[in-house]
Amino acid sequence: MDNSSDLSSLSTLRLAVADVNGIWRGKRLATQHAGKLDQGGVRLPLSALNVDIFGADIEDSPLVFESGDADGILLPTNRGAVAMPWLERASALVPMMLYHDDGTPFMGDPRQALVAVLERFKARGWQVIAGTEMEFCLIDDSADALQPPANPLTGRRLAQQEVLSLAELDAFDAFFTDLYDGCEAMGIPAQAAISEGGLGQFEINLNHQDALRAADDAILFKQLTRGIARKHGFAATYMAKPYGDEAGNGLHVHFSVVDQDGNNVFDDGSDTGNALLQHAVAGCLAAMPASTLAFAPNVNSYERLVPGAHAPTAALWGYENRTAALRIPGGSHKARRIEHRTAGGDINPYIMLATVLGAALVGIEDAMQPPAPITGDAYQIKDAPALAPDWETAINWFEQDPLIARILPAALIRNLVMTKRQELTRFDALPSEKHWQVLLEAV
């Protein structure tokens, strides 16, 4: 790829790849050097994708001293250069993936893990279509504790929930206008915005499209939201639970699978879907407890996963039931799909989607059968398979589970587990009232 003519008007480029926490790691490059991006001339230590959320190397990681902290090769994805509208000077981000010197993918790269899962669908002649619902909170972080921002129209701090309030959306019209303009500049298909159930909480849906593109858009949208918020004098956060007594941020994903003719493989013309849908549901349910770490990867995540807080706590499913972890939405049978509602807003979209879609595919491969769908309040159902109750348990289950080993590369499992164990130790030594200072714009 020679982008030199397309990028000549830009001041600089950012060449970046997402680490296990979904944080961009990479280099700043002058645009005159853009011609070498696809020639293997840009290198990055493999260990850069396996640092903790504080930015530190992982102790005893085989990617550091044991291997001499070897480099890998950065090569561009098919996304190309993406605008960075939150910066003052015209610049672009070029999303990359990491490879070994021999050209084989570095499987500690979360995007490579999702690519590998999607290749398994492709081998069946299938394509996964996915869309995400992105919840975030606007925050005033100027004091020692997080507070909701002031209403730009009145100057008074937000003090109450405003579910589906148009007035609250309109109060932040300048922010949302810039956000939608930024989405257009970056090629992110943003749809409806709503005011959600928490203080200063909003949700924007991203359109259904190829699953890899959906993951790219989700991680780019997070960065855009945070950058535009700062331009307006406040912060945006995807922390799972910014305030202990308010609704948390989720990241729901809807997915369906189409064949080579564009037909939905879950559709049999009925309101319930066919056997393939049932198998996919069963796979997601079977993997869900051990997958908790992919859906709740941070110390703050477990404040969201509590009964009655609009976040699933057990592996249950149902039709048109928003209390269940898996919901089968109604509507046209041609759009039959699965909504996976477990993940918090603080996840790495590549790891989350690889885990969800890999579990669905295992369910299909093994012709798994789900239990009966639930009706009513999922929180009232006793003896349901529970998600991991805490961060340490989630790390252990994720490391040891045979289904996870079928879904994700061994290198990514090892790297994520080592990273989270180190973070667990470091957060244990940090006063809990300081945790948000690390997490606010990192997750």
Side-chain angles (χ1 to χ4, degrees), residues 148 157-163 165 168 195-201 246:
R157 193 175 303 282
L158 302 182
Q160 62 191 34
Q161 298 175 351
E162 292 285 358
V163 178
S165 167
E168 185 145 310
S195 175
E196 264 289 357
L199 277 176
Q201 185 184 46
E246 292 288 333

Side-chain angles (χ1 to χ4, degrees), residues 80-382:
V82 180
M84 304 177 73
W86 57 91
L87 297 180
E88 293 300 323
R89 299 187 64 185
S91 302
L93 171 70
V94 182
M96 311 288 275
M97 291 203 295
L98 199 53
Y99 296 80
H100 294 285
D101 276 336
D102 63 2
T104 58
F106 171 57
M107 297 313 294
D109 178 344
R111 193 176 191 274
Q112 297 278 22
L114 178 55
V115 168
V117 169
L118 294 176
E119 284 295 318
R120 291 168 57 195
F121 281 91
K122 186 177 179 180
R124 288 174 166 257
W126 292 347
Q127 179 189 16
V128 181
I129 305 299
T132 54
E133 299 174 355
M134 312 286 295
E135 293 180 351
F136 60 91
C137 289
L138 299 181
I139 296 281
D140 176 358
D141 65 333
S142 61
D144 291 336
L146 296 179
Q147 304 175 86
N151 182 313
L153 298 181
T154 67
R156 294 189 294 274
R157 193 175 303 282
L158 302 182
Q160 62 191 34
Q161 298 175 351
E162 292 285 358
V163 178
L164 296 174
S165 167
L166 290 180
E168 185 145 310
L169 281 171
D170 289 344
F172 290 90
D173 179 69
F175 164 75
F176 281 105
T177 297
D178 282 355
L179 186 62
Y180 273 89
D181 287 347
C183 286
E184 184 174 356
M186 297 176 74
I188 298 173
Q191 293 187 319
I194 63 171
S195 175
E196 264 289 357
L199 277 176
Q201 185 184 46
F202 301 92
E203 175 186 287
I204 291 184
N205 297 340
L206 304 187
N207 197 24
H208 291 240
Q209 57 190 323
D210 176 79
L212 185 59
R213 177 84 179 204
D216 290 340
D217 283 341
I219 201 167
L220 289 168
F221 184 78
K222 281 188 169 188
Q223 188 171 14
L224 172 67
T225 314
R226 293 186 289 247
I228 296 297
R230 284 299 181 190
K231 291 185 72 172
H232 285 264
F234 38 76
T237 189
Y238 288 85
M239 285 175 61
K241 196 77 166 178
Y243 308 112
D245 54 355
E246 292 288 333
N249 290 319
L251 198 161
H252 303 162
V253 60
H254 294 245
F255 72 94
S256 58
V257 182
V258 297
D259 63 20
Q260 292 171 320
D261 297 320
N263 299 310
N264 186 339
V265 305
F266 294 155
D267 174 29
D268 63 357
S270 72
D271 292 335
T272 56
N274 60 16
L276 284 177
L277 175 72
Q278 303 275 320
H279 300 331
V281 165
C284 289
L285 294 176
M288 193 176 291
S291 302
T292 304
L293 187 65
F295 310 136
N298 299 296
V299 62
N300 174 257
S301 304
Y302 295 84
E303 296 180 32
R304 171 179 170 266
L305 295 181
V306 294
H310 300 285
T313 57
L316 295 167
W317 76 292
Y319 291 93
E320 280 292 15
N321 190 326
R322 284 186 168 87
T323 70
L326 296 182
R327 168 178 170 255
I328 311 302
S332 171
H333 62 86
K334 294 180 180 179
R336 191 64 59 229
R337 64 192 186 274
I338 297 171
E339 180 188 9
H340 202 294
R341 299 175 55 81
T342 309
D346 56 341
I347 52 87
N348 180 326
Y350 297 120
I351 294 177
M352 182 272 286
L353 267 170
T355 304
V356 167
L357 300 179
L361 188 57
V362 168
I364 292 171
E365 290 171 345
D366 293 2
M368 291 183 179
Q369 297 297 327
I374 69 163
T375 58
D377 185 356
Y379 297 116
Q380 301 303 315
I381 295 177
K382 308 301 181 185

